[in-house]
Amino acid sequence: MLCALSGSVPESPVVSKKSGHLFDRDLIEKCLASEQICPVTGKTLCIEDLIPVQAAQTVRPKPITATSIPGMLSHFQNEWDELMLETYTLKQHLDATRKELSQVLYQHDAACRVIARLTRERDEARSMSQLSQGHYADTSLHTAANLSSSATMELEGGQIGASLLARRGGASGTFVGQGATAAVTVGITQRVLDAVTAKGKELSKLRKKRKPPGNISNLDDIKTFVEVSTASPHAAKEPNGVTCVGLHPRMPSITVSGGMDSNAVIFDHTVGREISVLRGHAKRLHAALFHPDDSRRMILTASADKSVKLWTHRTTDTDYAETLTIGNSSDQKCFGGEVTGIAVHPTGDYAACSSKDGFWSLASLSHGAILESIGGERKSKSQISPCTGICFHPDGLLLGVGRGSPQQVVEIWDVKTQSKIHSFEGHAGAVLGLDFSENGYYMASTGTDGQVKLWDLRKLKDIKTMNLPGRTAGNCVCFDHSGTFLVAGGGSDITVSTVKDWDQIKILKGHSKDVTAVRFGPGARGLVSASLDRTVKLWGVD
C-alpha cells in the first residue's frame, strides 16, 4: 500500500471514508490544516473522515546511495545542489520584489509631488480670486469717492484711483511728486514675482562661481581694530541717542544715522563734518540706510511715526530731498504700528518693511506703493507679536522676520508665495536683530536674552549659541560680505567672531551706553557702530 500523495509506504496509514484513498497521517493532516479539501479529489475532507488502517510495522530499507561512503557523498552533493538552486531562486524573487517596491515608492513620491503642486496652485488661485474681489470692491469705492471729490493721481503717466488698504482699514493715499504720501496696496503682480525669481536664480548661479575676495581682513587685522573716528551728529537735547546707522555703498567713510531726535544725518568721517540733515519724520528713527545701488543715490528711513521716507539727491551728494512718504500723513495711515526696519530686495526695486502691528509689507520703490502687507492672525492685542527686525536672504527669495513677545521667534517667509515656511524657536526674549550670511547657509539672531544664536538654514536648527558679554541685551548683528566674520552689539560692547568656528576674537569697547547698530565695511576692513551715547564710531586698523 502506497500513500496517494507521496507514493511511498506510509508509516501511519489512514484511509478517507469519502474517496477511499490511502494517506500518511502526518502528511494528510498538514494538508488539511491549511484547508479542509482533499488534495486528490478536491472535495471537502476533514480529519474526522480519516480512518486509521492497521498494518504491519516494517523497517524502511535504506536507499542504495546510503549504503556506502561514496554513495552518501553523492547523496549529500545532490541535496546541496538542490539547496543552492532554491537559494538562487529565492534571491531572484527578492530582487524582483525590491524592484517592484522601488517602482511603487517612486510612483508614490511622484503622486505626492503632483498633489502638493496642485494644492499650491489651488491656493494661489483662491488668493488671486480674493485679491480680484477686493480690487473690484476698492475700485467701486474709489469711483464713488471720485464722483464726489474728483480726486485723481498720476502713476507712470496714467490715471489710477487710490485703493483702500483693506488689510489695515487705512484711508486712501495720494502721491504726485516731491514729499507725496503713498498708501496704495496694488498687490504682488506676476511681473514682480518674475523679477524676484529671475534675480534669485541669477544670484544663486553667481554665488556658486564666486571666489572669496583677496583683500579681506584676516584674524590678525581684526584683533588690532581700534576706534579711528567718533562723531556726535545728532542733537544733544533730550531725548537723544543714535538708534541706527548705514554705510555709503561706495565711500565707507560716509554714514547716514538716525536718532531719537527724528532726524537722519549724513556725515563724512574723513573730514569730520556734517554733509546734510534730513528732516521730516515726527518721531524717533528705527532704520536709516543708503540704497545698495549707488547709482540710484537714494536713502531710506523708517520711523516710529508709522512711515517710511525715500530721499534722493538733486544736484550734488549733499543735496538730498524727500521725494516720497509711504505711511502717515494728516489723514492717512498705511502702517498700523511703528516701522521697525527696512530691507532692500536684491533687485533694488522693492523693499520690505516691518512694523510693531505684527505685519511686514512689501513696497515698490519706483511706484511708491505698498504691494502687500502680510502677518499672522491673532485674536486680541495681547497676542500681537511685533515685527522687530527684517532681512532678505542673499538670493532675495526668502525673508527673515524677527518677533517680539510673546512669540520671540525668527520667521522665514517665502517672498513669492508670501507664506511662512519655518519658525526658529529658542530665544528667551524679544528678537531685536538678525542677518543672513553671504553664502545663504547661516542666519544669526540676537535679542533681549543676551545671546547670539546661529541657525543652519539647511538643517533648520540652532548650531551655536554665544553669550554676549555680561548677558546684556543684544540689539544688532551683522555678517561681513565675504561671510568670514560676524559682529554683534550687546550692551556697550561690540563682539567680533569668526564664522564656522564661532570663536570670539575681539571685543571693542568705547561706547558708554547701549550699542544700537553695527555694520561691516567693504572687505571687513572696518566697521561702524551707533549707540545711545549719541555717537557714531568707525573702527579699523590704526
Side-chain angles (χ1 to χ4, degrees):
M1 295 186 296
L2 300 177
C3 175
L5 295 177
S6 65
S8 60
V9 178
E11 294 182 0
S12 302
V14 292
V15 65
S16 171
K17 292 191 298 183
K18 293 185 177 181
S19 65
H21 287 96
L22 184 71
F23 302 99
D24 187 292
R25 175 182 290 276
D26 294 338
L27 191 56
I28 190 63
E29 286 182 354
K30 289 180 180 179
C31 292
L32 296 179
S34 60
E35 54 181 349
Q36 301 290 321
I37 297 176
C38 177
V40 178
T41 63
K43 297 180 180 180
T44 303
L45 180 67
C46 60
I47 296 179
E48 288 74 12
D49 296 329
L50 302 176
I51 301 174
V53 177
Q54 299 297 327
Q57 297 293 328
T58 59
V59 178
R60 183 179 299 175
K62 294 182 178 180
I64 296 176
T65 57
T67 58
S68 64
I69 291 178
M72 293 177 65
L73 292 175
S74 176
H75 181 70
F76 292 155
Q77 182 65 43
N78 292 336
E79 289 188 354
W80 175 259
D81 292 342
E82 293 176 358
L83 179 61
M84 291 298 101
L85 288 174
E86 182 181 2
T87 303
Y88 177 74
T89 303
L90 290 175
K91 286 185 176 180
Q92 284 185 319
H93 291 166
L94 177 60
D95 290 340
T97 303
R98 283 179 174 173
K99 290 179 180 179
E100 291 177 2
L101 178 60
S102 176
Q103 182 68 16
V104 170
L105 291 176
Y106 175 79
Q107 293 176 350
H108 176 268
D109 181 66
C112 290
R113 290 176 182 271
V114 171
I115 292 172
R117 179 176 59 82
L118 293 176
T119 302
R120 185 173 64 253
E121 291 178 355
R122 181 203 64 186
D123 294 341
E124 290 176 353
R126 287 179 176 176
S127 300
M128 292 178 65
S129 176
Q130 293 175 357
L131 287 174
S132 298
Q133 293 174 0
H135 173 71
Y136 294 147
D138 288 348
T139 303
S140 300
L141 290 174
H142 171 68
T143 302
N146 275 350
L147 291 175
S148 62
S149 63
S150 300
T152 59
M153 55 189 302
E154 185 174 355
L155 178 63
E156 293 185 321
Q159 299 295 322
I160 68 170
S163 61
L164 297 177
L165 186 57
R167 184 182 296 273
R168 303 284 180 78
S172 61
T174 59
F175 56 101
V176 293
Q178 178 176 349
T181 299
V184 184
T185 301
V186 298
I188 299 179
T189 63
Q190 188 60 45
R191 180 181 178 183
V192 176
L193 296 179
D194 291 342
V196 170
T197 302
K199 193 64 176 180
K201 291 181 179 179
E202 175 190 345
L203 293 176
S204 180
K205 185 181 298 184
L206 292 175
R207 183 169 291 104
K208 294 178 182 179
K209 300 179 181 179
R210 186 184 66 86
K211 295 181 179 180
N215 58 346
I216 63 172
S217 295
N218 54 38
L219 289 178
D220 294 335
D221 293 334
I222 297 293
K223 291 178 180 179
T224 60
F225 270 18
V226 294
E227 178 186 323
V228 296
S229 174
T230 300
S232 299
H234 291 269
K237 65 178 182 179
E238 296 290 342
N240 56 23
V242 185
T243 56
C244 50
V245 70
L247 277 174
H248 193 283
R250 184 168 45 86
M251 296 177 286
S253 63
I254 296 179
T255 63
V256 57
S257 58
M260 299 182 71
D261 59 359
S262 74
N263 296 329
V265 179
I266 305 173
F267 195 90
D268 188 340
H269 291 260
T270 301
V271 297
R273 67 178 181 87
E274 175 187 290
I275 295 177
S276 180
V277 179
L278 310 181
R279 296 181 175 88
H281 285 290
K283 294 183 179 180
R284 62 180 291 176
L285 269 61
H286 287 302
L289 66 154
F290 288 96
H291 193 288
D293 184 358
D294 181 45
S295 63
R296 303 201 181 201
R297 302 290 182 88
M298 180 185 295
I299 292 175
L300 297 87
T301 56
S303 170
D305 63 7
K306 305 178 184 179
S307 70
V308 172
K309 291 183 182 292
L310 276 63
W311 314 76
T312 55
H313 82 294
R314 291 303 183 184
T315 56
T316 65
D317 287 341
T318 63
D319 183 18
Y320 277 86
E322 177 187 342
T323 55
L324 183 67
T325 296
I326 305 175
N328 248 352
S329 70
S330 59
D331 58 350
Q332 302 162 5
K333 181 182 294 184
C334 202
F335 297 101
E338 298 182 15
V339 185
T340 56
I342 310 174
V344 178
H345 190 269
T347 59
D349 296 326
Y350 311 101
C353 309
S354 58
S355 64
K356 285 191 175 181
D357 65 347
F359 284 85
W360 64 269
S361 304
L362 187 66
S364 169
L365 300 182
S366 56
H367 297 165
I370 289 185
L371 303 181
E372 190 63 82
S373 294
I374 301 98
E377 298 295 332
R378 65 270 185 161
K379 298 180 181 179
S380 64
K381 288 187 177 181
S382 62
Q383 295 177 319
I384 296 176
S385 291
C387 296
T388 52
I390 197 163
C391 183
F392 276 109
H393 186 270
D395 292 339
L397 299 178
L398 301 177
L399 181 72
V401 178
R403 294 277 184 182
S405 298
Q407 286 181 286
Q408 302 170 357
V409 299
V410 180
E411 297 174 344
I412 304 298
W413 291 76
D414 187 326
V415 177
K416 294 191 296 182
T417 62
Q418 301 90 58
S419 59
K420 182 171 62 177
I421 58 179
H422 191 71
S423 292
F424 288 103
E425 301 177 352
H427 279 288
V431 178
L432 300 181
L434 69 155
D435 194 23
F436 290 97
S437 65
E438 196 277 337
N439 61 11
Y441 295 155
Y442 305 109
M443 179 181 67
S445 61
T446 188
T448 58
D449 57 0
Q451 293 181 330
V452 176
K453 288 187 174 291
L454 287 307
W455 312 91
D456 191 319
L457 300 180
R458 297 163 294 181
K459 301 178 181 178
L460 298 179
K461 68 176 185 179
D462 177 7
I463 58 173
K464 180 71 175 181
T465 298
M466 300 185 296
N467 292 327
L468 293 171
R471 287 296 295 270
T472 52
N475 293 312
C476 47
V477 66
C478 177
F479 286 95
D480 78 294
H481 184 67
S482 68
T484 307
F485 303 104
L486 173 70
V487 62
S492 59
D493 297 330
I494 301 169
T495 304
V496 184
S497 306
T498 56
V499 175
K500 295 184 179 180
D501 295 333
W502 311 118
D503 295 329
Q504 295 183 354
I505 58 174
K506 183 69 173 180
I507 298 179
L508 302 173
K509 297 180 178 291
H511 287 291
S512 59
K513 293 184 180 180
D514 287 353
V515 176
T516 54
V518 287
R519 302 297 300 175
F520 267 112
R525 294 189 297 274
L527 59 87
V528 61
S529 62
S531 170
L532 293 180
D533 62 6
R534 211 170 54 83
T535 63
V536 175
K537 295 181 181 290
L538 294 185
W539 309 79
V541 178
D542 192 6

